[in-house]
Every structure is written in C-alpha cells, then in structure tokens.
Amino acid sequence: MNIYVSIKKLVTYGINCGLLDERDKTYTINLLIDALGIDSFEEPALETENINLEQTLNEILEYAVENGLCEDSVTYRDLFDTRVMSLLMPRPSEVTQKFWELYKISPKDATNYFYKLSGNSNYIRRYRVEKDKKWISSTPYGNIDITINLSKPEKDPKAIAAAKAAPQSGYPKCALCRENEGYAGRVNSPARQNHRIIPVTINDSDWFMQYSPYVYYNEHCIVFNSQHTPMKIDRSTFKKLLDFVELFPHYFVGSNADLPIVGGSILSHDHFQGGNYDFAMAKAPMEKSFSFNGFDDVEAGIVKWPMSTIRLRSKSADSLVCLADKILNSWRAYSDESAFIFSHTNDEPHNTITPIARMKNGCFELDLVLRNNLTTPEHPLGVYHPHSELHNIKKENIGLIEVMGLAVLPARLNSELDELADAIINKKDISSIDTIKKHSSWVNSFVGNYDNINSENIQTILQDEVGKVFLLVLEHAGVFKRDDEGKKAFDRFINQIL
C-alpha cells in the first residue's frame, strides 16, 4: 500500500528534523496507522531520506479523503493534517523544559529551538508563508516593507456554510487563549494540536510566548496574558514590554493600541507582538531631541517617521516606565482644536499609544506612537486612518506591524495588480473592468509620470506606486502632520509635559 510509504516518509521526516527520536519510530507508526484506520503495517524501503513535508502530508490527506476520514476541502484537510502532525510532537512540558535549558546557554539558542520546532511541526506552514509576495519600497523615511498576505487559505463555501450552522462554543474563548495548545479545532476554529507555548514571567505576572503561524517577519512571536483579559495600555504595559526585551534582548516587542480603529484585530485578549527583525521605524533617527525635567538619565526625542513618535532611551527601565506613564497620561487628556485633536467626545476617549520596546547598544529603547481614533461624517472609519481614496490598496486598521513600517496588504491585491498590469500595458479602460475599476483613479494619478511603460517594468512600477500609497497611509494615521503646522503642534504637546 502506498500509504505505508507515506507513513514511513512522515516518521523519517520527524526523526530527521528532531521532532522524534529513533526510539519513537515504532510507537509513532502505530499512532499514525490508528489515526488512518489501518490495523497493520509493512515497512517499505524509501528511495530518499530527503522528505518533502507538504508532499507527504498531501499523500496522507488524499488517502484520508478517499477512505472517508476527511472531507475534501482546505478547512477539513487542515484539521486532519494537524491531527496527524500532533502524533509527532513532544509534550508541552518537554518543550518548555528544553527551551529554558537552552536559555541558560543563551536566549538566542532558546528562541532558535522554539522557532524551528514551530516550523518543523507544520504549525507554521512554511510552504504557505513562502507564497506571500514581498518587496521593499524606498521612502524619505527609509526602506519600508510591503507584503501581500497569501498564507491564509480562503475558506471554501461548504466550510463557510458548516461554520455558520455549527453551534457557537466558548472554548477556547479566543484564538490567543492558552487553551488553544493541543486543541483539535473545529470547522470554525483552527486546529492547534501541533501548537506549543512557552511560559514567561513579565512584571511578576504569568504570560506565554508563541510564534505567529503567518510569520509576517522573521521570528514573528506573540506574547499573551495567561488570563483572557482585554487589551489595556497603562504603566504596567511599559514594564512588561521592557521586562520581555531584558529576557530576550535580540527581540523587539510592542503592543497594539487599546482602542478600536487604531488597535489590532483582537482587543479582547491582552497581548504583544515581537520578533527578531529591524523595522524601518527602529532604524529611523531622532530628528529633534529634548530633556524631561526629573529624567536626566533619559534621552528623548521625536523620531523622523510619518506617524507621531516619541523615542525614549535609557539604561534604567524604571525611568522609562515612569516617563512613558507620564507621557501616556498627558496624551490621554490632551486636546488641540487647531490640530483637530480631541481627547474625548461625549465622554468617549480617543487618545492612546502604540508602544514598542527594544534593546539597543546596552540601553532600553521605547517608542511611543501617539494614536487617536476620532471619526467624523467625512471620515467615518477614522480621521487618523487611511482615508477613502486609499481604500483600494489599504482599508484595514493600522496596527502595530504597519506602524513600524511593514504593510500587510489583502490577498485580493495579488490578482488585481496582475490584472492592472495587463490593462495598463494593453491600454484597456480600467474603469469599465469590474474587478479593478476601484483602482482607476489611482492609476490615472501616476501613469502619466512614466515615459515608457512596458511588460518588463510594469510590475516594478506598480510595486513602487503601492509603496507610495502605503506611505500616505502612514501619514494619514499620524496625528501630528509632517508639515510645519503639524510639527509646531507636536512641539506644543511636548512642551506642556517638559
């Protein structure tokens, strides 16, 4: 039976990448044949020890579909192959023990092990992440990252209908809760049997670290509260962020804001995002420096960045926590009608902060990005949000990742840009093509700037123009604009704190 070959290949893969020990071989084969409804096994010879995981899992999935073990859709296949991979996984306690043993050697050794495990286990589906389209766009603020997210599979209509009909479950309470570790999943909740989390203590409280299955950047990790508690930016947030980068000085960590529109997609569970990556914001210099009274050990300044950012740097984490808390409280209550900044309307708060922490040259560094979620009839999705003329490219919230200079753009753009390229080259009327007419005004705004557009340069031109739009997105999200009036308004806020 060919399924014997697929089982042998998967077990060989597990041994080769360190998920299994040779001693685990027979045990794991027996677990796999049980999951596949087979009551015997004859070990075949393999032509190669170099195993392709995606191909091997597809072989097992085809067998499962043909034998009625799994429905033939991406949702059900993902549930089934996660169950299969879980049979190769070490227990959570084993992963935790090995992580902290390696941490004694170095924090990098520990995170390298855990990141590799998260990929080898297929929790991070590397073959999907590799499909993401990425490029660099040059701006006056440095090189920003652009990505079109293609790693999240589209649900098929059958699975969507099943999810709608499925009874709602309160377990796990959300996608971040610790109860996801080992959870089998269901049609409306992803399987996490191959998922592992690492306990960490920050600000004397229990948190966990995991990696994002979508990996928007290198070693994209999520740090989340052990309790299902809402996002909140306060003094303790700064302490937690700085504790984390002290534990893992090769990582940055930041938090989404805690208000709708300017916050992330999950406000119901307190969490941060971090990783081993230098964003354009981290590389941006301070264009103006100043000193806060009572904080002589803190270097402070305004960052040259399209979003309004105050940078604090010190060897003392305590000093940064105290000063960041002072700035946060001042910003929460700050209004400047001439700059169209209102802290509250009808008792609804609008001001908050997106904080990002890192270690740099032996110092703690904390970036505080000022946010405001005010809406108006003209801008119902947010005054400091991408305005409607940019929605053909980016309509979604500007969260932590975008704030730092990485555009996470919707998957629809992949096909739309290809269709646009063809339309521009062949001089078609874009406004008459339903799938891309939303881009007509945008294309008309730049196409005349190029003397010669052809099949060899059209993709580069479109990527450059998308990068320019994302820069405008960041500028729209900035509460103090980058013109002279905006800079004066920013100074007024700073001066009332000094």
Side-chain angles (χ1 to χ4, degrees):
M1 294 175 66
N2 287 335
I3 190 62
Y4 291 166
V5 175
S6 301
I7 290 170
K8 176 69 179 294
K9 285 166 63 178
L10 186 61
V11 172
T12 301
Y13 165 84
I15 292 170
N16 289 348
C17 71
L19 289 176
L20 300 172
D21 186 86
E22 184 71 34
R23 175 68 182 84
D24 303 318
K25 178 179 172 181
T26 301
Y27 173 81
T28 307
I29 287 172
N30 285 331
L31 292 177
L32 288 167
I33 64 173
D34 176 63
L36 293 168
I38 304 168
D39 58 12
S40 63
F41 182 76
E42 297 176 11
E43 185 165 343
L46 293 183
E47 295 179 359
T48 176
E49 294 284 308
N50 186 18
I51 309 300
N52 181 296
L53 178 60
E54 180 183 16
Q55 179 185 32
T56 302
L57 287 176
N58 281 338
E59 293 167 3
I60 292 173
L61 287 168
E62 287 302 316
Y63 177 88
V65 169
E66 290 170 6
N67 287 272
L69 301 172
C70 172
E71 293 193 38
D72 191 13
S73 82
V74 66
T75 300
Y76 292 101
R77 281 171 170 256
D78 282 2
L79 290 170
F80 193 85
D81 73 6
T82 302
R83 178 188 171 195
V84 167
M85 287 303 299
S86 74
L87 304 179
L88 280 66
M89 291 294 294
R91 295 273 183 170
S93 59
E94 297 175 86
V95 175
T96 297
Q97 182 178 355
K98 186 166 184 179
F99 180 91
W100 289 110
E101 284 176 353
L102 288 168
Y103 184 89
K104 294 174 184 176
I105 301 172
S106 81
K108 281 187 179 181
D109 284 335
T111 56
N112 285 346
Y113 155 72
F114 188 39
Y115 188 58
K116 185 177 179 182
L117 175 78
S118 299
N120 289 341
S121 67
N122 207 41
Y123 166 71
I124 297 173
R125 296 176 183 263
R126 291 170 176 145
Y127 44 87
R128 287 184 183 165
V129 173
E130 289 169 356
K131 295 176 183 177
D132 288 349
K133 187 170 288 186
K134 300 180 180 183
W135 67 91
I136 301 293
S137 185
S138 177
T139 78
Y141 305 96
N143 291 333
I144 59 176
D145 298 289
I146 312 291
T147 180
I148 297 176
N149 176 29
L150 302 174
S151 57
K152 287 186 180 180
E154 298 290 335
K155 287 190 175 181
D156 59 274
K158 188 175 182 180
I160 292 172
K164 187 176 181 180
Q168 295 300 307
S169 170
Y171 184 89
K173 290 181 180 178
C174 78
L176 291 179
C177 284
R178 62 186 296 181
E179 288 81 9
N180 283 280
E181 186 179 35
Y183 184 60
R186 53 188 188 272
V187 69
N188 55 1
S189 181
R192 290 290 182 254
Q193 289 145 306
N194 57 350
H195 175 47
R196 297 293 180 264
I197 59 180
I198 299 295
V200 295
T201 301
I202 50 178
N203 193 33
D204 298 321
S205 57
D206 294 333
W207 285 57
F208 289 93
M209 180 175 73
Q210 66 178 60
Y211 287 105
S212 166
Y214 306 113
V215 196
Y216 292 136
Y217 51 84
N218 187 46
E219 296 178 50
H220 178 183
C221 71
I222 300 171
V223 186
F224 61 97
N225 199 316
S226 64
Q227 303 298 313
H228 182 75
T229 186
M231 295 283 291
K232 185 179 182 182
I233 303 296
D234 59 15
R235 182 188 184 96
S236 70
T237 304
F238 307 129
K239 174 64 172 157
K240 292 165 189 168
L241 295 176
L242 294 172
D243 276 0
F244 184 83
V245 296
E246 188 170 25
L247 274 173
F248 303 101
H250 58 301
Y251 275 11
F252 80 90
V253 70
S255 175
N256 271 305
D258 55 355
L259 294 178
I261 297 176
V262 295
S265 58
I266 301 178
L267 292 176
S268 61
H269 196 131
D270 201 10
H271 70 284
F272 310 139
Q273 294 183 78
N276 188 7
Y277 192 73
D278 283 330
F279 288 88
M281 170 189 268
K283 300 173 186 175
M286 288 193 290
E287 62 182 1
K288 186 172 187 176
S289 298
F290 39 81
S291 298
F292 287 95
N293 290 329
F295 295 93
D296 296 338
D297 58 344
V298 178
E299 180 185 357
I302 294 173
V303 180
K304 184 183 178 183
W305 191 245
M307 295 187 68
S308 310
T309 306
I310 299 170
R311 178 167 293 163
L312 308 178
R313 186 182 296 137
S314 177
K315 290 186 178 296
S316 169
D318 290 341
S319 292
L320 289 192
V321 170
C322 291
L323 181 51
D325 186 48
K326 180 178 181 179
I327 294 170
L328 172 64
N329 291 331
S330 295
W331 177 243
R332 293 272 195 205
Y334 187 77
S335 294
D336 183 344
E337 186 173 353
S338 66
F340 208 75
I341 294 171
F342 301 92
S343 66
H344 294 75
T345 56
N346 300 321
D347 295 325
E348 179 186 352
H350 296 302
N351 289 351
T352 185
I353 278 176
T354 299
I356 302 112
R358 65 185 74 88
M359 297 294 296
K360 185 171 283 187
N361 299 324
C363 290
F364 294 97
E365 194 168 270
L366 193 60
D367 285 350
L368 306 175
V369 187
L370 307 181
R371 311 298 303 274
N372 179 289
N373 75 346
L374 181 70
T375 61
T376 64
E378 182 183 1
H379 301 296
L381 297 183
V383 174
Y384 304 104
H385 178 86
H387 293 173
S388 58
E389 66 269 22
L390 308 182
H391 288 178
N392 62 306
I393 301 296
K394 179 70 174 177
K395 184 179 181 180
E396 299 77 14
N397 289 359
I398 304 307
L400 171 68
I401 296 173
E402 286 90 358
V403 164
M404 296 184 293
L406 191 158
V408 181
L409 302 179
R412 63 173 173 81
L413 280 177
N414 190 47
S415 59
E416 289 175 7
L417 291 177
D418 285 342
E419 196 171 356
L420 274 176
D422 175 72
I424 293 170
I425 292 297
N426 293 293
K427 295 181 168 49
K428 296 179 183 178
D429 179 10
I430 294 171
S431 64
S432 67
I433 304 173
D434 286 343
T435 50
I436 56 173
K437 63 184 180 182
K438 68 172 78 70
H439 298 295
S440 179
S441 295
W442 172 53
V443 171
N444 289 338
S445 73
F446 69 76
V447 72
N449 298 331
Y450 298 90
D451 294 331
N452 180 30
I453 300 179
N454 54 58
S455 58
E456 293 183 359
N457 65 14
I458 183 61
Q459 291 295 340
T460 299
I461 288 171
L462 286 172
Q463 288 182 357
D464 287 346
E465 294 298 330
V466 168
K468 292 175 184 177
V469 171
F470 182 62
L471 177 56
L472 288 174
V473 164
L474 294 179
E475 290 176 345
H476 284 191
V479 292
F480 295 115
K481 303 309 176 185
R482 294 291 299 168
D483 57 17
D484 289 341
E485 287 303 311
K487 290 179 180 180
K488 290 177 183 177
F490 202 166
D491 286 342
R492 288 196 296 273
F493 170 65
I494 297 295
N495 288 336
Q496 59 92 39
I497 310 173
L498 293 178

